[in-house]
């Protein structure tokens, strides 16, 4: 491909405007050529369409799409894009089910185009240094605390507590994407408790326990009802002391108290995602890791469902 990748951004909600648009503007390998949204606003000077069918009918030359829609509708849009021969960037989570992502991956492979299941938290500056430290450490326990206020981070986004909207796993899957990256061995869920508001079809909180084949204990506390200070922390106890990732991976504190990386939350993560997307598009390869999504699916399969008070925004 000669010249920058001509990209259409589909689903113009908060994350698209806050993170995707600035990251695309800063990347010389990608140019924002169109936006698509039924409700969200477009970008000044960029062609805007109501849906992907209108974009296709326009004849505008597009090389790739980035999908920022709710997960419930993402598969059908991605399939339409693949049929057009467009490379596809999937915001996390990559689909509403594992089967959807498997089907999209197979379709992309058959079409010879690139599919990217993006996990933005893996691009936080503390993640790779943490992974390097833990590669040869004896890990004794892992504790994840991911608690935030749904009213602050998802105002008016009722879909997130509907069936297929993931509920508290929408942010919680970010934690799982980090843990699956930094730990040297795969792990599996042993039990879970999921709190469902009486008026919602997705959980608002979850408490999870995992283990690996060597008996490593991993616990996670996800909650969408946190008021005041927010918590996005991963604490790893090792034979060399305690390693902590704060602020969603933005700040790493090693056992000796040193902090090799520290930056604002989300700073640089989306730039890293788009660099990676450009790499796989030019290489005509795909990057589809479903490990975080598999753990969420297992939590729904294995977890005890508890009914809690209704959620009123």
């Amino acid at each position: 491909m000669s010249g920058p990748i001509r990209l259409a951004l589909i689903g113009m909600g908060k994350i698209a405007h806050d993170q995707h648009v600035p990251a695309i503007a800063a990347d010389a390998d990608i140019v924002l050529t169109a936006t698509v949204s039924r409700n969200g606003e477009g970008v000044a000077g960029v062609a805007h369409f109501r849906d992907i069918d209108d974009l296709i009918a326009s004849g505008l030359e597009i090389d790739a799409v980035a999908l920022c829609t709710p997960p419930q509708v993402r598969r059908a849009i991605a399939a339409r894009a693949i049929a057009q021969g467009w490379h596809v960037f999937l915001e996390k989570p990559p689909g509403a089910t594992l089967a959807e992502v498997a089907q999209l991956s197979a379709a992309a492979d058959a079409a010879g185009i690139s599919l990217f299941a993006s996990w933005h938290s893996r691009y936080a500056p503390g993640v790779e240094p943490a992974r390097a430290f833990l590669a040869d450490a004896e890990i004794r326990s892992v504790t994840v605390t991911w608690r935030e206020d749904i009213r602050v981070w998802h105002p008016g986004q009722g879909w997130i507590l509907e069936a297929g909207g993931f509920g508290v796993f929408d942010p919680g899957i970010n934690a799982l994407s980090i843990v699956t990256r930094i730990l040297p061995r795969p792990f599996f869920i042993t039990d879970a408790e999921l709190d469902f508001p009486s008026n919602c079809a997705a959980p608002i909180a979850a408490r999870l326990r995992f283990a690996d084949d060597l008996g490593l204990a991993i616990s996670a506390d996800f909650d969408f009802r946190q008021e005041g200070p927010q918590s996005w922390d991963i604490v790893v106890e090792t034979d060399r002391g305690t390693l902590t990732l704060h602020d969603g991976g933005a700040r790493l504190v090693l056992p000796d108290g040193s902090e090799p990386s520290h930056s604002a939350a989300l700073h640089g993560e989306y730039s890293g995602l788009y660099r990676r997307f450009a790499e796989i598009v030019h290489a005509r390869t795909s990057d589809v890791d479903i490990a975080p999504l598999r753990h969420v699916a297992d939590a729904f399969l294995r977890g005890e469902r508890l009914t809690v008070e209704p959620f009123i925004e």
Side-chain angles (χ1 to χ4, degrees):
M1 182 183 300
S2 61
I5 298 164
R6 297 165 296 191
L7 182 129
L9 189 54
I10 301 179
M12 297 303 296
K14 179 176 172 57
I15 196 68
H17 283 283
D18 289 354
Q19 301 297 334
H20 288 259
V21 171
I24 294 165
D27 194 320
D29 284 335
I30 300 173
V31 59
L32 184 60
T33 304
T35 59
V36 179
S37 186
R38 293 181 181 274
N39 301 307
E41 296 181 358
V43 175
V46 176
H48 184 72
F49 301 90
R50 185 173 184 271
D51 56 37
I52 191 171
D53 290 329
D54 287 348
L55 172 61
I56 293 168
S58 75
L60 191 64
E61 293 187 348
I62 297 294
D63 302 308
V65 297
L67 304 189
C68 304
T69 64
Q72 295 99 319
V73 300
R74 198 171 294 155
R75 188 211 64 81
I77 299 170
R80 289 285 283 148
I82 290 170
Q84 294 298 308
W86 297 342
H87 306 285
V88 177
F89 175 128
L90 298 170
E91 206 5 311
K92 66 84 192 170
T97 68
L98 288 165
E100 288 185 357
V101 181
Q103 186 274 332
L104 291 175
S105 183
D109 288 346
I113 63 101
S114 298
L115 182 68
F116 183 33
S118 72
W119 301 107
H120 69 79
S121 290
R122 286 184 175 176
Y123 290 78
V127 172
E128 288 306 309
R131 182 172 187 258
F133 179 90
L134 295 173
D136 58 358
E138 178 188 329
I139 304 171
R140 294 173 174 170
S141 68
V142 181
T143 303
V144 179
T145 305
W146 224 256
R147 300 171 67 92
E148 64 182 57
D149 190 339
I150 186 174
R151 295 178 176 89
V152 171
W153 297 98
H154 297 278
Q157 297 178 15
W159 59 266
I160 207 165
L161 288 174
E162 295 174 357
F166 282 66
V168 76
F169 287 106
D170 182 83
I173 204 170
N174 292 330
L176 295 172
S177 75
I178 294 175
V179 177
T180 54
R181 178 64 181 167
I182 65 175
L183 295 187
R185 298 183 300 272
F187 54 91
F188 52 91
I189 197 161
T190 57
D191 59 89
E193 296 174 337
L194 312 180
D195 293 344
F196 285 75
S198 59
N199 60 339
C200 298
I204 201 164
R207 294 160 299 283
L208 316 172
R209 284 157 292 280
F210 304 87
D212 70 6
D213 283 338
L214 298 184
L216 173 65
I218 304 165
S219 64
D221 176 15
F222 301 157
D223 204 313
F224 244 159
R225 301 166 297 190
Q226 180 86 342
E227 298 180 357
Q230 311 284 275
S231 303
W232 302 287
D233 301 318
I234 299 171
V235 178
V236 186
E237 299 292 346
T238 80
D239 60 330
R240 294 153 60 187
T242 303
L243 175 150
T244 306
L245 281 165
H246 296 288
D247 302 329
R251 178 186 170 208
L252 170 65
V253 181
L254 293 174
D256 63 3
S258 63
E259 299 187 23
S261 58
H262 187 181
S263 68
L266 290 182
H267 177 70
E269 293 180 16
Y270 279 83
S271 293
L273 289 177
Y274 275 100
R275 283 194 300 272
R276 177 60 178 155
F277 187 49
E279 288 174 0
I280 67 172
V281 167
H282 289 304
R284 308 289 286 197
T285 59
S286 290
D287 183 349
V288 183
D289 178 13
I290 62 169
L293 182 59
R294 184 186 296 119
H295 286 304
V296 172
D298 286 352
F300 278 97
L301 285 170
R302 190 71 187 263
E304 178 184 1
R305 177 174 177 146
L306 305 175
T307 301
V308 298
E309 64 277 2
F311 172 73
I312 308 297
E313 186 170 6

